[in-house]
Amino acid sequence: MAGLLGAFELGANALFAQNEAISVTGRNAANANTEGFSREIVDLESNRHLGITVGLTRRSEDNLLASREREADGNRGRATTLSTALAAMERNLVGRDNLPGNIAELFGSFMELASAPMDDVRRSQVISKAGALVSTFHDVANSASQARSGSDARLVTWAAAATEAAQEIASANRALGTSPDPMLMDNRDKAARKLAEIMGGQARIDTDGKMRFVLPSGEVLVDGDRAVTIQTVVDASNGNHLAVRAVDGQHVGVLTRSLESGKIAGEIAFRDGTAAQTQQNLDRLAYDLAQSVNLVHAAHAGLDGVAGRNLFVPLGSPTGAAAALQLNPTLTANPRLIAAGTVGLGQTDNQGAVALSALKDQLLAGGNTRTFTDEAIFDLTTVGSATKTAQGQLELESARSDVLKSTRDSISGVSVQEEMTHLASYQHAAEAAQRFIATVNSLFDSMLNKL
Amino acid sequence: MRVTEVRMVELVTKALERARDRAAETGNVVSTGVRADVPSVDPTAWQDGMRAKVRTALSEHHGSTIGRTKDALAGQEGALETLMQAFIRAHEIALGAANGSMNAQDRGTSAREAQALHGTALVAGNTRGPNGEYLFSGSLGQSQAYDSTGAYNGDAQTEQVEVGEMGQLAPGLLNGTALRDVNGVNVMGLIGQLATDLSTNNLASISASLSRFNDAIDALARARTQVGARMSAFDSADEARRSLQLHLQETYSKTISADPVAAASDLAQAKNALEASQAVAQQIVTITRPQA
């Protein structure tokens, strides 16, 4: 037995332990709304001689769950950017102009010209409808092009954010080497999730307690105290769009094609996938349409009896055709030159207009598999289908993230009511310790007074 | 599973957001009447709806083409009616003049009437359309179909016009070659010739023209029948077009447009869900508020 002096020590230890527990509870309650905070648990250990000792204050966490969360963050990041970018492009392509309708209107105007080849109003209508179609092609080409350059602009932002997150992890690794502060661990986990959301990849804690962040391609983004810089550079081999790379001193790893998840992967999938394909399809459609119309137009004669003129300015190649499409200015200035008739026949011959109108029913688009209007509808529906798929994927990933978030919350989240209960419990224990000390003190006084 | 207050509030906030979005979406459908405004809502339906819309637009153009051609055919029909009346009267004059009871002076008087009828026939043969084109000139619409002697200046071209889907064509206006008799002789000079014969009192030629007038009247009747048949073909095409357009509009309504009853019902459901979410959110906030 340690005697009365030993009892004092017991009481002091108890008071210290409860105060430490109250302090941890207070920190938990204060961070109830802090994103990424893992509640802390103080280990109070019974001790035969000291009564109680305060063990380690540890974070309530599950490394496997954290790993799954990072994976889900990467998948959700990709689905979010892909879905958002696709939905915006779809709205721009479909909302502003009606490409299939304007193609139909051009052929409709040829059809009407066939019923009145000498009618100047019908001829002006052809020019007006062709002009509207040209303008629509410009709009949709612009939308697709802007969608792709918008992705490039966002890539710059994501690259900067990824670099920042990687550096946060590295500096947390450095700091944790000297002090195993739970708050630092929380911050490092938060940065790792942010990095995973942008770049995909996975983090693991090495035996030295430092976090290492690796992409599925094997590229290491954070290794202990070192972090790479994520850069964007102009890629001449990809239409001067941006390539993404990881730079660590002399080592440069090109990531553009190797990223599987994360926001950057979503942007690249959009930019080089659906958006590029859509741009290509629209260019091909504009090229095929201009070529086919020009071929028939040039074979027929205007009201002056002369053949050989094009309705559209001839295009060199399908690349950039939608944006480059232009009406022949000679015809715009003089619609009487629109080739509605046959060479050698009179002005009311309509075989040219009939032949131009007939193009609408021929399978001249989509590699000779679809009509022009069907091809335009198909191209827009393809974007719509991709958007719907991406939205479905986003819903799925969001649901997965939600489940993991709930699981994480059940392990690491702070319940204010729970902490209040703990606080009351620790407060009572502290009061009991105080009373114990007062009692021992009183005994000590009595004993001293009797001496 | 352990659920913290923060998580409870997060979950209820998400539920509230979803309910609000759903209410906004259904409200938008009700107010615009459009269900699938972009393909991603329902790609297959949007595709079908757009196809129907494009076909409807082309059908409208078919309608305009049919209407314009029918107007021109009506112009030809009117001209042929005038020609028919002129030729019947000229035939009557020739019959009277071929009779030996009429003297040279009477024939001279009839010659003036025949000359007037010849003028009327030429005007009818040179009937023009709304754009100044000569209706009976074939492809040479900028040239008068008949000169003062009744000689034909047009060509034998018959223009086809599109009246239905997949490039369905129908012959449009009749050209002047239809106004030839069984021997292939242009009938338009016949009345002018009669006027000359009457003024020169050429009884033999007048008598000989009687059978030619019969042939001419037959030719005009045939031409009128052809115009009537073409008008009828255009009427049938227009009828088919209208029926197709109704079908297309129905397809468009089914695929793109919102069903008002279903949309209103969806809106009511979304509104109820939103109200329920709001009530739950209020309860959760109350429950999770720390008690002093």
Side-chain angles (χ1 to χ4, degrees):
Chain A
M1 290 291 284
L4 279 178
L5 283 173
F8 266 125
E9 199 180 343
L10 274 178
N13 284 342
L15 200 56
F16 172 76
Q18 302 312 324
N19 282 346
E20 186 62 25
I22 287 170
S23 161
V24 169
T25 305
R27 201 156 60 230
N28 282 346
N31 285 291
N33 290 324
T34 306
E35 199 197 328
F37 177 80
S38 297
R39 72 191 166 101
E40 291 170 14
I41 300 168
V42 63
D43 282 336
L44 299 179
E45 292 164 0
S46 170
N47 186 294
R48 185 177 170 81
H49 301 293
L50 302 174
I52 190 167
T53 54
V54 180
L56 277 176
T57 301
R58 58 186 169 83
R59 294 161 75 221
S60 178
E61 61 166 352
D62 181 332
N63 282 332
L64 181 63
L65 181 66
S67 162
R68 286 179 63 199
E69 271 193 298
R70 282 190 287 270
E71 188 186 331
D73 286 340
N75 291 336
R76 191 165 46 85
R78 184 185 189 278
T80 305
T81 46
L82 186 59
S83 159
T84 308
L86 279 169
M89 184 172 81
E90 183 195 28
R91 287 263 166 215
N92 280 334
L93 288 177
V94 177
R96 275 199 304 205
D97 290 295
N98 176 7
L99 181 61
N102 283 340
I103 293 174
E105 284 299 322
L106 174 65
F107 289 113
S109 71
F110 289 142
M111 190 200 298
E112 291 208 31
L113 179 60
S115 69
M118 277 177 65
D119 186 354
D120 287 336
V121 175
R122 301 295 140 216
R123 288 180 172 272
S124 298
Q125 191 188 33
V126 169
I127 293 296
S128 152
K129 299 293 183 186
L133 180 59
V134 165
S135 167
T136 302
F137 265 117
H138 290 176
D139 278 352
V140 293
N142 196 31
S143 290
S145 167
Q146 276 183 352
R148 295 187 76 193
S149 39
S151 266
D152 280 334
R154 288 190 294 274
L155 280 179
V156 174
T157 312
W158 299 136
T163 302
E164 194 183 314
Q167 282 165 356
E168 273 178 44
I169 298 171
S171 51
N173 276 343
R174 204 173 302 126
L176 282 165
T178 54
S179 147
D181 182 352
M183 298 292 262
L184 275 173
M185 289 181 190
D186 280 345
N187 287 342
R188 186 175 67 178
D189 280 355
K190 219 163 93 177
R193 285 190 64 177
K194 192 174 162 190
L195 188 57
E197 190 184 3
I198 299 170
M199 303 291 296
Q202 198 47 273
R204 66 158 197 265
I205 310 293
D206 283 341
T207 46
D208 58 0
K210 293 190 174 177
M211 181 179 273
R212 188 178 159 91
F213 199 103
V214 187
L215 294 180
S217 61
E219 196 72 39
V220 179
L221 299 187
V222 182
D223 188 9
D225 304 352
R226 292 173 68 86
V228 299
T229 303
I230 307 297
Q231 288 182 344
T232 51
V233 287
V234 173
D235 182 1
S237 68
N238 188 21
N240 285 333
H241 288 290
L242 296 180
V244 180
R245 59 187 200 173
V247 179
D248 182 13
Q250 295 298 310
H251 172 76
V252 177
V254 178
L255 307 175
T256 315
R257 306 266 169 237
S258 62
L259 294 174
E260 292 173 5
S261 59
K263 287 183 171 181
I264 289 182
E267 290 292 357
I268 290 168
F270 167 72
R271 186 194 70 186
D272 298 346
T274 310
Q277 189 59 53
T278 303
Q279 201 172 21
Q280 206 176 317
N281 290 348
L282 292 170
D283 281 343
R284 185 79 232 182
L285 174 61
Y287 181 78
D288 288 343
L289 189 136
Q291 290 285 98
S292 305
V293 168
N294 280 347
L295 195 67
V296 174
H297 195 273
H300 290 86
L303 283 179
D304 61 351
V306 176
R309 298 189 191 99
N310 291 314
L311 180 61
F312 296 104
V313 174
L315 297 158
S317 76
T319 309
L325 190 66
Q326 290 294 342
L327 272 180
N328 181 350
T330 312
L331 268 67
T332 313
N334 184 8
R336 294 176 72 82
L337 303 182
I338 293 170
T342 306
V343 181
L345 290 180
Q347 290 182 316
T348 41
D349 176 64
N350 69 355
Q351 290 177 53
V354 169
L356 285 166
S357 172
L359 291 173
K360 71 181 181 310
D361 299 315
Q362 296 171 23
L363 305 181
L364 296 168
N368 295 334
T369 58
R370 282 182 280 272
T371 64
F372 293 117
T373 48
D374 267 357
E375 177 64 15
I377 293 170
F378 174 80
D379 290 345
L380 297 176
T381 309
T382 303
V383 175
S385 296
T387 308
K388 193 176 171 65
T389 305
Q391 284 168 344
Q393 190 65 31
L394 176 60
E395 273 178 36
L396 186 68
E397 295 302 340
S398 297
R400 275 186 192 149
S401 278
D402 265 359
V403 170
L404 289 171
K405 198 168 182 184
S406 291
T407 312
R408 182 188 191 282
D409 184 73
S410 74
I411 296 168
S412 308
V414 176
S415 163
V416 176
Q417 287 171 355
E418 204 175 273
E419 296 303 328
M420 297 298 266
T421 312
H422 287 161
L423 191 64
S425 156
Y426 294 138
Q427 190 183 352
H428 287 156
E431 281 170 7
Q434 281 169 354
R435 195 163 291 179
F436 174 73
I437 291 168
T439 306
V440 173
N441 190 40
S442 166
L443 278 172
F444 204 72
D445 280 348
S446 305
M447 201 173 73
L448 284 176
N449 288 337
K450 284 178 184 170
L451 287 176
Chain B
M1 187 187 257
R2 179 176 169 272
V3 183
T4 66
E5 297 83 2
V6 175
R7 187 67 188 145
M8 282 163 80
V9 171
E10 270 177 11
L11 290 172
V12 80
T13 308
K14 277 200 171 180
L16 201 54
E17 274 172 14
R18 274 199 297 271
R20 202 180 50 212
D21 288 350
R22 176 86 186 119
E25 277 169 22
T26 48
N28 191 42
V29 169
V30 170
S31 62
T32 60
V34 178
R35 184 180 70 90
D37 56 341
V38 286
S40 59
V41 174
D42 186 342
T44 312
W46 189 85
Q47 183 168 282
D48 291 346
M50 279 309 290
R51 281 192 183 134
K53 193 178 174 185
V54 162
R55 288 173 69 192
T56 303
L58 288 170
S59 175
E60 292 287 346
H61 288 291
H62 285 131
S64 302
T65 302
I66 290 170
R68 204 171 296 113
T69 312
K70 274 175 66 182
D71 286 348
L73 280 169
Q76 283 198 323
E77 194 174 40
L80 289 171
E81 166 68 20
T82 305
L83 280 170
M84 183 64 105
Q85 295 305 324
F87 273 80
I88 288 171
R89 178 62 194 142
H91 187 222
E92 285 170 1
I93 292 169
L95 265 177
N99 191 326
S101 61
M102 196 180 266
N103 59 30
Q105 194 180 351
D106 292 339
R107 290 196 181 95
T109 308
S110 294
R112 284 194 289 279
E113 189 185 351
Q115 194 56 47
L117 286 173
H118 177 60
T120 304
L122 287 181
V123 168
N126 286 323
T127 299
R128 298 169 82 163
N131 301 302
E133 76 278 17
Y134 292 93
L135 295 182
F136 287 96
S137 289
S139 81
L140 303 172
Q142 77 281 22
S143 312
Q144 270 202 345
Y146 297 96
D147 66 12
S148 58
T149 65
Y152 183 54
N153 295 324
D155 62 14
Q157 201 65 30
T158 296
E159 308 306 344
Q160 304 276 319
V161 288
E162 193 175 318
V163 294
E165 290 200 315
M166 298 311 292
Q168 184 196 343
L169 296 171
L173 295 177
L174 226 56
N175 59 56
T177 58
L179 304 184
R180 287 182 178 164
D181 64 19
V182 283
N183 301 312
V185 178
N186 174 21
V187 302
M188 289 296 283
L190 200 54
I191 302 177
Q193 183 59 48
L194 175 66
T196 307
D197 291 344
L198 286 167
S199 61
T200 56
N201 200 22
N202 187 344
L203 196 57
S205 182
I206 294 169
S207 297
S209 73
L210 288 175
S211 65
R212 290 179 59 205
F213 268 110
N214 279 330
D215 289 346
I217 289 167
D218 284 350
L220 286 170
R222 276 197 306 275
R224 287 186 73 184
T225 307
Q226 280 186 56
V227 168
R230 289 183 188 187
M231 287 276 268
S232 174
F234 278 94
D235 281 337
S236 301
D238 204 26
E239 190 71 25
R241 185 191 68 81
R242 283 173 202 278
S243 161
L244 171 71
Q245 214 163 351
L246 276 178
H247 166 71
L248 292 172
Q249 278 162 1
E250 199 181 329
T251 304
Y252 185 80
S253 295
K254 274 183 190 167
T255 51
I256 305 279
S257 302
D259 173 2
V261 177
S265 164
D266 285 350
L267 181 61
Q269 279 182 11
K271 192 169 163 272
N272 288 341
L274 178 61
E275 282 169 1
S277 295
Q278 283 167 336
V280 170
Q282 210 160 8
Q283 285 290 317
I284 293 288
V285 168
T286 309
I287 290 168
T288 55
R289 187 184 297 146
Q291 302 298 315

